[in-house]
Amino acid sequence: MRTMEFSIENNGNMLTIGQMIGIKEYQTASMYSYMIDDAIGMSKPFPPGERLKSTQGKVLEVKKTDRFNIAVLEFDE
């Protein structure tokens, strides 16, 4: 299992614990970033060796911080 954090806006009830959600991959220069479907959240950039193989993840946690909210997703890898 692999977990990744995504910066999200205050999403109300768009993400719930245990929910399966789709992920899209974007290549920027030599890095890869991931966006939760419907542009709910964005990951940090990852190098090619850490590229995500899954297209769907499970919401494990939604954290609130002073600056932004974070969704933690788990992937079957």
Side-chain angles (χ1 to χ4, degrees), residues 1-5 46 60 72-75:
M1 294 294 186
R2 175 180 176 179
T3 60
M4 287 175 57
E5 293 187 347
F46 290 91
L60 291 182
V72 180
L73 274 62
E74 178 181 61
F75 299 92

Side-chain angles (χ1 to χ4, degrees), residues 35-52:
M35 184 176 293
I36 297 173
D37 283 349
D38 300 326
I40 294 171
M42 187 81 175
S43 74
K44 69 176 187 174
F46 290 91
E50 295 179 27
R51 192 172 176 188
L52 187 62

